[in-house]
């Protein structure tokens, strides 16, 4: 998520002057086990040939410093930062974002290689180190392509221009008579050609062109952008190549697991490690400092068990006898907390956006509708739990970890450990899923602390129990909606109150009011054409670590907004899809700031990325048409629909459910339409829509994190259930709307419409309205089909 852009945590400019500490690592070309032994051997930059075989020449520092491309839209587009060409013709593209299954390696390479005119078979990916020279490296917020599309095009085109110029000098012709094509430059006068590798040394001696002297390709010239190019990582994953956090090995490395206080800010009391030290393979224990507010990205305290292997460390932890001392959250109980939040939602709150006078309209209305919705805390639960390896040598720290943001990892380590950032190197491995969890590097801090204490490289392993019970949880929420219907069923007043513990509480002690940024994720950006509209927020103190999870506040806000839209339709006696389109209203551009909101538009400019109701309506109509909306359905079948704009993309989802007489639920089909602006790889956009929807459905059906006496109850998949293969939709269709608009996000927008579309479909099939998530719960197998309309 755009956490700094949303004002949830402060910007950190402390690394602005830091210098590179080591070259980037190339993950893809090594076996997992061989990867770490050979890391750090490759070079960055516009490497250009003329060296010994397999080596690369480099653009000198002075040439880099003189680049006129450091300030283009998106950041530094100097070719040296992103592209290198070996003397054997390999084109190496540096990816500064983390690869976690979203195929960012492939997409970034497509953008650069297209403008460069590189042959795709010549392209290899290099993973960048965490360093400020790359600009923002936080692989969060569905923004890797959006933030970097233009500057990577410019970088590729600049390199192409330099290679063409080098060829022109070689042939003594005009640069306009030279044309790059598939890793060669063609002489259009006589059809001679030279390979990029043959021109690289000459190009390295040329000045980097200004952006005004670079020609970007027209859309109809794109060779790779917009094409369904296969993933460059999946074949390697299948073969076991590449390295995840769990795969890292270092000479002399030991392993550690940590026993942490069950409560946030609980403390470690008396420790008896006699039985632990008797476990074969256990080497020692290390007491970590107690956590203090704010949690930030620091470690949670506790006791580390260090051993010669993971199994011994886990068994040693099981034998550990620790007295845990209560902290300030010892009395936290999810049921009590829910009741308090719901009570707050029934009271007037802080006005976040206002149009007309919804309060007066509600007070004088003859027909009103009131509904309350609840969504619990959620855990990220990525397939690969957190893992980090740390090694200290000569006062310098080197880390390998499955992190989404190696720069923040580096700055966090520097601050926590009182070490200069220049003395810290962070390698981002591949990530076995993340969903936002691995942008918080507390697990890397643990590894660094333990390694410094014991004087050896150490890998810290989190088990699934660690992952579920010590997460940065997606926020719990209570929402209240009130609407006024006129004599024709039209909604004339709309009130939405949202109460949840804010992410800001993780960084600012005592923060208890939702930030404007969080409210802008599905609440203050409500697109409804209602004359009286009011959005409010209420206070809620946090008792767990709150963090961002895939689509963040959109999850609970859209569940409420789109469910309530369907409830309004039902109260008006209207079809839910038709009523939803009426609520959206006619084509127009919306600026929530004009109605008192503090809306940041996901960090995008409202001129470039307006809230466009025409695009919202278009995807709604497309998803409905794909689902053959309006067809006669058999008994027990129901169709539901929901639509939302998030991360600057527009997504509508229609879902069909079947509920039998015993309450067994199946999902025959899902139909999704997405308008994400310019799409780099439609194959991967479809995969993200499918994955995001399944993630949303799984959490809507089963996801719930709860606490008793300040400690999280759930511990593993028996009581943190996820959707299984047999429960997934039988059919899933995705349609991408053709668009020339600027690229928008795709990693998260598929998630928010899933829960309300599902709930609306269940209501259509059964007449029962589910306003509280999860719908089934971890032990649920069947829907409860009693007469309650408030489940």
């Amino acid at each position: 998520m755009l956490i700094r852009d949303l004002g949830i945590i402060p910007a950190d400019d402390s690394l602005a002057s830091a210098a590179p500490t080591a070259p980037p690592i190339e993950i893809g070309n090594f076996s997992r086990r061989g990867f770490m032994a050979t890391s750090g051997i490759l070079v960055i930059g516009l490497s250009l040939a003329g060296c010994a075989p397999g080596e690369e020449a480099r653009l000198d520092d002075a040439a880099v410093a003189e680049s006129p491309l450091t300030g283009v839209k998106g950041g530094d587009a100097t070719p040296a930062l992103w592209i290198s060409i070996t003397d054997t013709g390999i084109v190496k593209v540096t990816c500064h974002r983390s690869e976690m299954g979203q195929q960012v390696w492939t997409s970034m390479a497509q953008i650069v290689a297209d403008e460069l005119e590189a042959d795709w078979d010549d392209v290899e990916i290099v993973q960048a180190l965490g360093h400020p020279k790359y600009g923002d490296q936080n692989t969060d917020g569905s923004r890797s392509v959006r933030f970097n599309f233009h500057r990577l095009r410019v970088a590729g085109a600049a390199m192409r221009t330099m290679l063409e110029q080098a060829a022109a000098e070689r042939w003594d012709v005009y640069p306009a008579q030279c044309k790059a094509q598939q890793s060669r430059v063609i002489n259009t006068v006589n059809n001679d050609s030279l390979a990029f590798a043959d021109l690289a040394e000459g190009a390295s001696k040329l000045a980097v062109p200004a952006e005004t002297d670079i020609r970007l390709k027209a859309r109809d010239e794109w060779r790779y952008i917009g094409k369904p190019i296969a993933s460059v990582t999946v074949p390697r994953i299948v073969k076991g190549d590449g390295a995840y956090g769990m795969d890292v090995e270092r000479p002399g490395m030991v392993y550690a697991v940590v026993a942490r206080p069950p409560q946030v800010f609980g403390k470690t009391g008396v420790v008896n490690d006699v039985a632990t030290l008797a476990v074969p393979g256990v080497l020692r224990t290390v007491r970590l400092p107690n956590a203090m507010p704010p949690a930030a990205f620091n470690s949670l305290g506790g006791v580390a068990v260090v051993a010669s292997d993971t199994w011994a460390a886990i068994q040693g932890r099981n034998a550990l006898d620790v007295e845990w001392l209560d902290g300030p959250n010892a009395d936290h109980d999810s049921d009590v907390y829910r009741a308090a939040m719901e009570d707050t939602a029934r009271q007037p709150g802080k006005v976040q956006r206002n149009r007309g006078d919804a309060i007066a309209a509600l007070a004088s209305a003859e027909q009103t509708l009131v509904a309350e919705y609840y969504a619990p805390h959620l855990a990220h639960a990525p397939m690969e739990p957190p893992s980090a390896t740390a090694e200290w040598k000569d006062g310098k720290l080197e880390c390998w970890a499955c992190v989404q943001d190696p720069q923040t990892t580096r700055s966090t380590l520097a601050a926590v450990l009182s070490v200069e950032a220049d003395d810290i190197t962070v390698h981002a491995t591949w990530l076995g899923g993340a969903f936002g969890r691995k942008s918080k590097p507390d697990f890397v801090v643990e590894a660094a602390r333990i390694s410094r204490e014991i004087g050896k490289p150490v890998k810290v392993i989190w088990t699934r129990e660690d992952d579920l019970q010590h997460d940065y949880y997606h926020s719990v929420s209570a929402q209240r909606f009130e609407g006024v219907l006129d004599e024709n069923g039209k909604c004339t007043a709309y009130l939405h109150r949202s109460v949840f513990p804010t992410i800001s509480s993780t960084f600012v002690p005592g923060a208890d009011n939702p930030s404007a940024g969080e409210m802008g994720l599905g609440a203050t950006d409500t697109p409804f054409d209602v004359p009286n509209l009011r959005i409010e927020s209420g206070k809620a103190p946090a008792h767990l670590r709150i963090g961002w999870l895939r689509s963040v506040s959109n999850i609970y806000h859209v569940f409420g907004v789109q469910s309530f839209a369907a409830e309004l339709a039902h109260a008006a006696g209207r079809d839910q899809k038709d009523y939803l389109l009426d609520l959206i209203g006619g084509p127009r551009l919306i600026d929530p700031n004009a109605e008192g909101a503090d809306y940041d538009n996901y960090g995008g400019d409202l001129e470039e990325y307006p809230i466009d109701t025409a695009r919202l309506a278009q995807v709604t109509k497309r998803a409905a048409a794909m689902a053959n909306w309006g067809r006669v359905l058999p008994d027990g079948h129901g169709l539901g629909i929901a639509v939302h704009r998030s991360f600057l993309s527009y997504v509508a989802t229609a879902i069909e459910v079947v509920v039998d007489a015993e309450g067994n639920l199946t999902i025959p089909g899902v139909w999704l339409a997405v308008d994400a602006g310019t799409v780099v790889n439609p194959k991967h956009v479809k995969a993200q829509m499918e994955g995001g929807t399944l993630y949303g459905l799984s959490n809507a059906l089963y996801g719930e994190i709860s606490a008793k006496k300040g400690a999280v109850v759930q511990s593993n998949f028996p009581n943190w259930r996820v959707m299984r293969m047999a429960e997934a939709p039988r059919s899933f269709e995705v349609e991408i709307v053709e668009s020339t608009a600027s690229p928008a996000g795709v990693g998260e927008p598929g998630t928010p419409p899933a829960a309300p579309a599902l709930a609306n479909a269940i209501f259509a099939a059964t007449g029962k309205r589910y306003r509280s998530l999860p719908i089934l719960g971890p032990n649920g197998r069947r829907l409860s089909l009693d007469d309650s309309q408030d489940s």
Side-chain angles (χ1 to χ4, degrees):
M1 196 37 241
L2 297 140
I3 300 304
R4 291 193 178 88
D5 294 339
L6 291 174
I8 296 171
I9 62 175
D12 182 0
D13 297 323
S14 61
L15 300 182
S17 61
T21 56
I25 53 175
E26 182 171 10
I27 295 177
N29 291 342
F30 301 104
S31 70
R32 290 192 186 180
R33 299 308 171 200
F35 160 72
M36 285 303 155
T38 54
S39 65
I41 64 172
L42 300 174
V43 305
I44 1 180
L46 173 62
S47 73
L48 297 152
C51 308
E55 293 183 354
E56 303 168 6
R58 311 206 191 168
L59 196 64
D60 60 48
D61 291 341
V64 174
E66 294 172 1
S67 168
L69 300 179
T70 57
V72 307
K73 178 184 176 183
D76 194 342
T78 302
L81 201 57
W82 308 106
I83 309 164
S84 64
I85 301 173
T86 71
D87 62 342
T88 58
I90 300 300
V91 176
K92 296 184 177 181
V93 177
T94 295
C95 181
H96 65 307
R97 296 301 180 103
S98 296
E99 177 58 63
M100 50 190 178
Q102 84 283 37
Q103 309 306 325
V104 70
W105 270 25
T106 308
S107 297
M108 295 297 202
Q110 282 180 254
I111 298 168
V112 173
D114 200 322
E115 288 291 351
L116 175 59
E117 264 297 329
D119 187 318
W120 188 250
D121 290 338
D122 294 339
V123 175
E124 291 184 3
I125 316 300
V126 177
Q127 181 65 51
L129 293 174
H131 196 276
K133 66 184 178 181
Y134 296 108
D136 184 358
Q137 288 184 267
N138 188 11
T139 315
D140 243 329
S142 301
R143 55 189 176 168
S144 290
V145 167
R146 173 164 70 93
F147 273 21
N148 295 283
F149 183 70
H150 179 73
R151 72 158 161 169
L152 291 182
R153 290 185 67 199
V154 170
M159 174 74 96
R160 165 170 45 85
T161 301
M162 296 168 74
L163 290 165
E164 290 173 342
Q165 185 177 346
E169 293 184 0
R170 180 84 66 92
W171 289 320
D172 194 23
V173 299
Y174 293 109
Q177 294 173 314
C178 301
K179 182 177 177 60
Q181 185 175 317
Q182 293 290 271
S183 291
R184 302 188 71 81
V185 176
I186 311 298
N187 185 330
T188 60
V189 176
N190 58 19
N191 213 34
D192 283 350
S193 69
L194 288 168
F196 282 2
D198 297 325
L199 295 166
E201 183 176 14
S204 70
K205 299 174 182 178
L206 301 175
V208 176
E211 187 172 5
T212 53
D213 297 326
I214 297 168
R215 187 189 74 85
L216 296 178
K217 288 184 177 182
R219 284 176 178 265
D220 60 5
E221 297 178 283
W222 285 349
R223 187 185 299 275
Y224 306 128
I225 298 172
K227 307 300 190 296
I229 290 176
S231 165
V232 299
T233 57
V234 168
R236 297 173 179 180
I237 293 169
V238 171
K239 293 186 293 184
D241 289 343
Y244 292 88
M246 289 284 190
D247 292 323
V248 176
E249 293 183 355
R250 299 296 297 165
M253 185 179 76
V254 294
Y255 301 80
V257 296
V258 179
R260 302 171 187 86
Q263 306 161 9
V264 176
F265 305 129
K267 299 183 185 301
T268 306
V270 176
V271 177
N272 183 343
D273 61 3
V274 173
T276 294
L277 296 174
V279 173
V282 170
L283 303 174
R284 61 172 293 182
T285 62
V286 175
R287 187 165 178 151
L288 297 173
N290 291 321
M292 300 290 289
F297 298 143
N298 209 336
S299 54
L300 284 169
V303 181
V305 177
V306 182
S308 57
D309 59 79
T310 305
W311 180 250
I314 292 173
Q315 295 307 305
R317 182 172 67 174
N318 291 341
L320 194 63
D321 182 10
V322 184
E323 175 193 24
W324 299 118
L325 305 177
D326 285 345
N329 299 303
D331 295 331
H332 177 51
D333 181 285
S334 292
D335 292 336
V336 176
Y337 190 71
R338 172 178 180 171
M341 284 200 308
E342 290 174 336
D343 183 64
T344 299
R346 295 171 188 136
Q347 314 302 320
K350 179 181 178 180
V351 179
Q352 298 275 359
R353 181 183 171 194
N354 189 67
R355 177 198 307 151
D357 193 341
I359 301 301
L362 283 161
S364 61
E366 294 185 4
Q367 183 182 4
T368 62
L369 181 67
V370 177
E372 295 181 344
Y373 300 88
Y374 175 80
H377 283 297
L378 298 173
H380 298 83
M383 183 179 294
E384 174 201 33
S387 177
T389 300
E391 181 175 0
W392 290 84
K393 186 178 293 183
D394 300 325
K396 297 186 177 183
L397 172 64
E398 192 164 10
C399 296
W400 298 259
C402 48
V403 291
Q404 291 175 248
D405 188 353
Q407 262 188 69
T408 293
T409 302
R410 188 172 180 244
S411 62
T412 298
L413 291 167
V416 170
L417 302 171
S418 299
V419 177
E420 292 295 326
D422 286 356
D423 293 332
I424 301 173
T425 302
V426 176
H427 303 271
T429 65
W430 282 353
L431 284 64
F435 311 121
R437 171 60 182 97
K438 294 171 184 174
S439 55
K440 298 96 171 168
D442 57 324
F443 56 101
V444 191
V445 173
E446 288 180 333
R449 287 188 188 278
I450 298 165
S451 177
R452 183 159 67 175
E453 176 67 23
I454 67 175
K456 293 183 178 181
V458 62
K459 181 194 292 184
V460 166
I461 301 286
W462 283 48
T463 64
R464 181 61 62 194
E465 289 79 5
D466 296 329
D467 175 48
L468 287 176
Q469 297 193 315
H470 301 287
D471 198 358
Y472 288 81
Y473 301 100
H474 175 67
S475 195
V476 58
S477 76
Q479 299 177 83
R480 180 179 175 89
F481 292 80
E482 299 181 22
V484 173
L485 299 174
D486 67 13
E487 64 276 9
N488 298 314
K490 180 179 175 63
C491 182
T492 59
Y494 176 96
L495 171 66
H496 176 192
R497 291 197 188 111
S498 183
V499 180
F500 56 92
T502 175
I503 293 170
S504 302
S505 63
T506 297
F507 305 95
V508 180
D512 60 2
N513 215 337
S515 70
E518 291 165 298
M519 290 298 294
L521 308 178
T524 56
D525 57 348
T526 297
F528 295 160
D529 188 12
V530 177
N532 303 288
L533 181 144
R534 187 179 180 94
I535 313 296
E536 299 178 359
S537 64
K539 293 183 177 182
H543 299 289
L544 299 175
R545 296 194 298 182
I546 308 299
W548 48 98
L549 173 145
R550 191 178 197 170
S551 81
V552 206
S553 309
N554 288 294
I555 292 176
Y556 43 80
H557 283 150
V558 179
F559 171 61
V561 169
Q562 292 291 305
S563 293
F564 190 61
E567 293 208 52
L568 287 168
H570 180 71
R574 298 277 308 282
D575 174 85
Q576 59 170 299
K577 181 263 295 181
D578 293 341
Y579 197 88
L580 178 57
L581 288 169
D582 285 349
L583 279 173
I584 294 170
R588 67 196 188 285
L589 305 182
I590 298 172
D591 181 2
N593 296 301
E595 296 174 345
D598 181 8
Y599 182 66
D600 89 318
N601 197 36
Y602 297 90
D605 183 74
L606 273 168
E607 292 289 330
E608 183 179 6
Y609 292 102
I611 302 176
D612 187 340
T613 61
R615 295 173 74 181
L616 202 63
Q618 181 185 29
V619 293
T620 304
K621 293 173 183 176
R622 285 306 310 144
M626 292 165 66
N628 193 15
W629 192 275
R631 59 190 158 97
V632 177
L633 295 171
D635 288 346
H637 287 242
L639 275 171
I641 195 166
V643 66
H644 186 53
R645 172 189 181 270
S646 66
F647 305 93
L648 310 177
S649 287
Y650 301 77
V651 174
T653 304
I655 294 178
E656 182 178 356
V657 302
V658 178
V659 182
D660 66 18
E662 284 73 42
N664 294 300
L665 171 71
T666 56
I667 305 174
V670 173
W671 299 269
L672 184 150
V674 54
D675 179 352
T678 297
V679 166
V680 171
N681 192 313
K683 178 185 179 74
H684 299 148
V685 170
K686 289 183 178 181
Q688 287 298 300
M689 293 301 116
E690 293 167 350
T693 300
L694 293 175
Y695 192 76
L697 291 175
S698 181
N699 284 329
L701 288 169
Y702 306 116
E704 180 176 21
I705 289 293
S706 58
K708 296 289 184 184
K709 296 182 179 179
V712 170
V713 173
Q714 290 72 23
S715 60
N716 209 317
F717 290 120
N719 53 11
W720 171 264
R721 202 174 180 296
V722 296
M723 177 177 272
R724 298 170 183 171
M725 260 187 182
E727 299 164 334
R730 302 291 189 270
S731 174
F732 201 131
E733 297 179 23
V734 176
E735 180 177 308
I736 300 172
V737 175
E738 291 286 336
S739 176
T740 59
S742 296
V746 298
E748 295 165 271
T751 298
L758 176 66
N760 292 341
I762 292 172
F763 179 79
T766 67
K768 177 164 182 177
R769 172 60 61 183
Y770 283 85
R771 299 190 183 103
S772 180
L773 298 178
I775 292 170
L776 292 178
N779 300 315
R781 295 295 183 273
R782 296 183 177 92
L783 295 172
S784 173
L785 297 180
D786 58 30
D787 293 332
S788 170
Q789 294 290 302
D790 190 14
S791 296

